[in-house]
Amino acid sequence: MDTQVEFSEADFDSALNSSRAFPPTGGTRIGESDLRELRRTCLEAVDNATSDRGVVSSSNFDLAVGKILFATGEESVGEFGDPFVWDFITLILLPDLAAKRLAMRSTSRGKSISTAERITGGSRRHVFQRLWKRWLIFGCEIVESGKLTEDDYGATIERLITNRPALAREVAEAIIRSGYSGDERREYTRVFMRKLQQTSGLVQIRDDDEVHLRKVIEEVHRQTAESVGDAAESDG
């Protein structure tokens, strides 16, 4: 996508009057003034995250924009769960910021990601929706800590825990405490999520019992660490 994509007042006005472009979901629909404020605050946040050399890192961009989207989404959860809303935000409201973010990175874990995946509402790789989900699922403390990597978010959100915040946060803490980094971190997270999925087929993982949940995560961590350690010894 061209990094010089610009916001269009004409497109905004036209799309705002289309029920399909920004559909109501039964609650109070977000209004034009709120949308314009969302655009203003996102632009301001990215500007503040930009260095004196005119550079903003992908992590700083994601943190700044994700925080604003989450705050806005707290009052529009139904709307933010609608893929057409994300089409509107990406293609109409924030096309310039979407282009800026897409220009930063086009691959994840060695796999090519098409532009269509990144700008289509409902896609788990959507340039903005994935940022909102991080805050929604993991909560402010974990996201703002910056201790989870792009690969960590992808592996966890995509595989199991989209709608289970309590489990997601325990998994995040296990990944952070693991002490792994780089390729070992990616392998640990991959194996951890596979074993967690296997465990969930044998044991009911209850979100409302912190002691039970923590014990399950500790056991999955133990198995994962053994697997990663064995793999490292074999490679050595």
Side-chain angles (χ1 to χ4, degrees):
M1 182 179 286
D2 187 346
T3 57
Q4 298 303 310
V5 171
E6 296 182 357
F7 171 74
S8 167
E9 285 285 354
D11 289 345
F12 177 79
D13 291 339
S14 176
L16 195 61
N17 292 320
S18 169
S19 60
R20 185 173 177 80
F22 203 84
T25 55
T28 302
R29 177 175 173 172
I30 188 169
E32 178 179 351
S33 61
D34 291 327
L35 288 170
R36 290 187 179 277
E37 178 63 10
L38 173 59
R39 174 171 171 76
R40 186 194 68 76
T41 54
C42 283
L43 289 172
E44 184 178 87
V46 172
D47 184 58
N48 289 338
T50 301
S51 70
D52 293 338
R53 294 182 292 109
V55 177
V56 57
S57 68
S58 58
S59 58
N60 286 343
F61 181 104
D62 291 349
L63 185 62
V65 174
K67 184 173 186 177
I68 293 168
L69 291 173
F70 174 68
T72 302
E74 285 190 297
E75 298 180 0
S76 306
V77 175
E79 290 184 325
F80 271 46
D82 190 305
F84 288 119
V85 170
W86 292 104
D87 286 341
F88 178 93
I89 290 175
T90 305
L91 302 175
I92 303 298
L93 187 66
L94 301 173
D96 41 358
L97 288 188
K100 188 180 186 72
R101 182 60 181 87
L102 291 180
M104 295 178 186
R105 187 180 183 187
S106 60
T107 61
S108 177
R109 286 163 290 170
K111 297 181 180 180
S112 176
I113 303 174
S114 69
T115 299
E117 286 183 276
R118 301 297 303 279
I119 65 174
T120 300
S123 168
R124 63 176 181 264
R125 299 184 186 281
H126 187 275
V127 63
F128 292 136
Q129 188 173 5
R130 67 191 178 86
L131 305 182
W132 167 71
K133 278 190 174 181
R134 293 176 186 181
W135 288 80
L136 185 69
I137 295 169
F138 290 100
C140 301
E141 184 175 348
I142 288 176
V143 177
E144 289 190 311
S145 75
K147 293 179 179 178
L148 289 182
T149 67
E150 187 83 15
D151 290 326
D152 293 334
Y153 284 123
T156 51
I157 292 176
E158 291 175 15
R159 283 184 170 83
L160 183 67
I161 52 181
T162 300
N163 298 312
R164 304 187 66 180
L167 176 58
R169 289 160 193 161
E170 287 294 334
V171 169
E173 293 292 349
I175 293 171
I176 293 168
R177 289 194 304 267
S178 73
Y180 292 109
S181 61
D183 289 341
E184 284 189 331
R185 169 76 160 250
R186 282 187 285 275
E187 178 64 8
Y188 173 87
T189 304
R190 184 188 68 79
V191 174
F192 187 102
M193 294 308 299
R194 188 185 71 224
K195 290 187 177 296
L196 184 60
Q197 286 178 304
Q198 293 169 347
T199 300
S200 67
L202 300 172
V203 178
Q204 181 182 10
I205 303 177
R206 296 177 53 188
D207 293 24
D208 59 347
D209 186 335
E210 289 186 13
V211 175
H212 164 77
L213 184 56
R214 191 157 292 124
K215 285 182 177 179
V216 169
I217 296 301
E218 287 174 354
E219 176 59 21
V220 172
H221 163 72
R222 184 189 66 77
Q223 295 177 19
T224 302
E226 286 181 359
S227 294
V228 174
D230 290 344
E233 288 180 8
S234 297
D235 292 341

